[in-house]
Amino acid sequence: MNIKEVIENQFKELIKKYPSFILYWEDDIGIVKGELNFKALYNGVVIADTYTIKIEIPSTYPSNLPMTKEIGGRIPLNFHRLANDYLCLEVPTKMKIIFMQNPTLLFYVEKFVVEYLYGFSYKEKFGRLPYGEHPHGNAGIIDFYKELFGVTDINSILKFLKILSNSNYRGHHLCPCNSEKKLRNCHGKTIRELMQLDIAYMFRFDLDVILRSKTNRF
Amino acid sequence: MESINKGLIFEEIGKQLDISPTMYKLAVERYTAVAEYLEENDLKAHFYPQGSFRLGTVTRPIRNGIESDYDIDLVCQILVDKNNTSPSTIKNTVGNLLRKNKRYKKILDEEGRRCWTLIYAEKDGIGFHLDILPSIRESIEIIESLIKEYNLAPRYAESAIAITNKNKIDNLYNWESSNPNGYGLWFDEINKSFYDLVEKSTRKQIYENNRDIFASIDDVPPQLIRTPLQRVIQILKRHRDLRFNGHKLEDDKPISMIITTLVSQIAKNENCLTTDIFVLLKFIALKLAQYAILLSNIEISQQQYAVIKRDIYTGKWYISNPVNPAENFADRWHENDNRKAKAFFQWVNWVYLDLIQNMDKPGFDINSLKNVLGNNVVEKANAKYQSLLLQHHNDCMQSSSLSTVNITSPGKPWG
Ligand SMILES: [Zn+2]
């Protein structure tokens, strides 16, 4: 099956639940456009809402994730957005890790887009975000790795990222988390699982970003 | 917040414009009877429907502002070689046989340019105009030239036919070329991806609403299953009929063949897929509107896949027949200061205002469609839509968490 067929089949699954979408192609990029009519529940609060969105699916999908824009003019520019108006649904590496559990359009829409839009609708209603937000930029990336490894020390994060970006796992070395244990008896399982995702380039990217922000700061 | 399901409204409107399953069955019975009668009288021929009846885009016609009889087009392809006959023989063989029959003689209209028309008045006031098109297989030379000179795919070219044309001035007959079967095949190929999407659910729905005429789900003929593509064409044709009714540009309104071809060609080029009729209509209307620039700027770069083209030197317009590249549907668009082209783009703009912008605005009122799609049709469609909403509402009450996304370990927006 070529990638267009993969996307078409995933689109068919998507419109069974969210029928107001159209799929078409701009060169090799698949475009899914239309109204996302959702009902979502978090902590006992149900929100039903409608947004007009445009999802762009790259020809490198599913290795590279789709990108989404809100095109109905509801979400202001200062709410989490990237360059070119794409919505910042999550830290990219985290998104990728989650997406690879179930790399389908329906999962992408419900896990990332609906969650994001639920958050925005919630904020419109109650004046605050329901589940917090990552700080903008590098601090947000560091935040994510603090959560991922359960550490607070930035040097530990850098050491973990070095291992991951070089796929250089040594079980008998001391674990970077300062536990004084060997890696294989400490964070070893987490690291090995992350290495299996085959996204060393994403860890290298994050490592560079954090290193650059460090040099700038000191 | 209950938002209006525009796709569903259009589905209901489409059903009102369409021929009902009962009327469809009756129409098939009527033309099968004619075919059997002609065969019994030693006419060796194939009979098959063409036009909107064949394409599944039947739209209740408007004549002088009122809804009138359905048009059904039947090809009568006589099995004789083009070298051994003449257009007048072909036309009059059929005409004479029809006149020989008492029943058909009574309902036979005066001779048309290409067809013989039988006018059936049915009991509940809605009748048929059955246009019978006498024809023969096109000559081998013409079929080969379509393939070799015009690069037409053989699967289309092979079904080309020669039809007869009676000249108004001298009453002489001549041959013309046509290809309704090839066009149907071309359309089916584009329609297929939409058909596959909706076939199962639509078939079930038709069966459940017409248990009196179908014995089982499989009994529902594929010809009754309508895709979003077919619905868009039906809605556009009706919108055209009403918008141009009594307008100074009425005689220049776009012909159904142009609407059907452009909509299908865009769906084909863009390879688009959706089950939502409103979403598809919007997508196609916006694509059509992009061509309006050709009115003022001929020299705009025209891509290979443009569905409407203009000659930079002569200013002539081109919309080619997909199964006969030599035929230009827009061959008269440049006449009278581009009058037909202007009428077309005026209409595209009306489509945008009446159907897209109007329906996209908050507080859209379904009744506002009555002027442009028909009082009766919108009234009935709205009643159906409301009852569907009620039913849907009741279904949802029974299983309230059906479509709710449960957010368990939420991510955090970033950036
Ligand atoms: Zn550790």
Side-chain angles (χ1 to χ4, degrees), chain A residues 21 23 39 41 88 90 136, chain B residues 273-274 405 409 412 414-415:
Chain A
F21 281 118
L23 168 70
K39 196 160 105 186
L41 166 73
C88 284
E90 250 296 356
H136 291 260
Chain B
L273 207 56
T274 183
V405 177
S409 50
K412 299 173 185 172
W414 161 87

Side-chain angles (χ1 to χ4, degrees), chain A residues 8 11-12 15 18-25 35 37 39-42 49 80 88-92 110-111 115-116 118 131-137 140-141 147, chain B residues 1 3-6 193 196-197 270-276 278-280 282-283 286-287 360 396 400-415:
Chain A
E8 259 179 37
F11 176 76
K12 287 175 190 170
I15 56 176
Y18 302 98
S20 293
F21 281 118
I22 185 167
L23 168 70
Y24 60 97
W25 303 87
E35 283 181 6
N37 226 314
K39 196 160 105 186
L41 166 73
Y42 177 67
D49 212 338
H80 300 276
C88 284
L89 307 174
E90 250 296 356
V91 172
E110 293 200 325
K111 175 59 200 165
E115 263 183 23
Y116 177 99
Y118 175 97
Y131 20 74
E133 57 198 309
H134 283 298
H136 291 260
I141 297 177
E147 278 174 20
Chain B
M1 191 181 77
S3 62
I4 295 179
N5 188 332
K6 293 165 272 191
S193 56
D196 290 345
L197 267 185
E270 305 292 331
N271 208 352
C272 58
L273 207 56
T274 183
T275 50
D276 189 307
F278 177 76
V279 169
L280 185 62
K282 184 173 175 176
F283 180 78
L286 291 175
K287 289 275 169 205
D360 261 342
C396 283
S400 60
S401 65
L402 190 68
S403 61
T404 306
V405 177
N406 228 325
I407 300 176
T408 46
S409 50
K412 299 173 185 172
W414 161 87

Side-chain angles (χ1 to χ4, degrees), chain B residues 127-373:
Chain B
F128 305 112
H129 286 195
L130 180 63
D131 284 341
I132 302 164
L133 180 74
S135 68
I136 54 165
R137 185 170 195 246
E138 190 50 280
S139 68
I140 296 295
E141 296 77 48
I142 290 184
I143 288 175
E144 279 183 352
S145 95
L146 282 170
I147 297 170
K148 286 184 184 137
E149 283 166 51
Y150 293 99
N151 259 327
L152 186 66
R155 68 180 185 285
Y156 303 142
E158 273 153 18
S159 52
I161 57 174
I163 59 173
T164 68
N165 179 51
K166 186 179 185 183
N167 195 307
K168 262 186 197 160
I169 300 158
D170 54 18
N171 278 337
L172 293 177
Y173 294 85
N174 63 289
W175 292 118
E176 282 182 358
S177 204
S178 185
N179 194 348
N181 229 351
Y183 191 91
L185 183 62
W186 175 81
F187 181 81
D188 288 348
E189 287 167 0
I190 299 167
N191 196 38
K192 184 179 186 306
S193 56
F194 294 97
Y195 183 88
D196 290 345
L197 267 185
V198 301
E199 194 238 340
K200 234 175 117 183
S201 57
T202 312
R203 181 181 289 275
K204 186 164 166 256
Q205 206 187 54
I206 296 173
Y207 169 66
E208 279 168 2
N209 292 329
N210 298 281
R211 277 174 191 261
D212 49 332
I213 46 178
F214 301 117
S216 72
I217 287 191
D218 299 324
D219 212 26
V220 177
Q223 289 85 351
L224 281 180
I225 292 168
R226 298 287 180 260
T227 67
L229 187 70
Q230 290 163 318
R231 290 286 188 228
V232 163
I233 293 167
Q234 289 175 311
I235 287 163
L236 287 175
K237 280 162 65 179
R238 168 51 70 92
H239 178 266
R240 172 215 44 198
D241 287 343
L242 279 183
R243 262 309 202 158
F244 281 101
N245 180 41
H247 193 274
K248 64 179 195 298
L249 289 172
E250 185 162 12
D251 293 339
D252 297 294
K253 67 181 183 183
I255 55 172
S256 295
M257 207 50 184
I258 285 186
I259 296 177
T260 306
T261 302
L262 292 177
V263 168
S264 312
Q265 193 77 62
I266 287 172
K268 181 185 177 179
N269 292 352
E270 305 292 331
N271 208 352
C272 58
L273 207 56
T274 183
T275 50
D276 189 307
I277 301 164
F278 177 76
V279 169
L280 185 62
L281 177 76
K282 184 173 175 176
F283 180 78
I284 284 172
L286 291 175
K287 289 275 169 205
L288 284 175
Q290 288 174 2
Y291 290 96
I293 189 138
L294 288 173
L295 275 174
S296 53
N297 185 351
I298 306 183
E299 296 187 14
I300 197 88
S301 79
Q302 294 175 41
Q303 284 153 4
Q304 188 192 348
Y305 291 109
V307 295
I308 305 173
K309 290 181 182 165
R310 246 191 125 173
D311 188 296
I312 296 175
Y313 302 104
T314 64
K316 282 190 177 176
W317 299 79
Y318 288 95
I319 300 171
S320 73
N321 179 343
V323 295
N324 183 6
E327 185 181 357
N328 175 16
F329 291 139
D331 60 348
R332 296 182 55 204
W333 274 29
H334 63 285
E335 292 172 7
N336 302 314
D337 190 22
N338 301 302
R339 206 171 148 92
K340 284 193 160 49
K342 283 175 183 165
F344 177 80
F345 288 109
Q346 171 64 69
W347 171 67
V348 171
N349 193 42
W350 282 332
V351 169
Y352 181 74
L353 296 175
D354 301 340
L355 302 180
I356 312 296
Q357 203 183 62
N358 172 35
M359 292 180 78
D360 261 342
K361 74 172 181 250
F364 151 69
D365 178 7
I366 297 172
N367 292 310
S368 65
L369 296 175
K370 285 182 176 170
N371 285 333
V372 293
L373 295 175

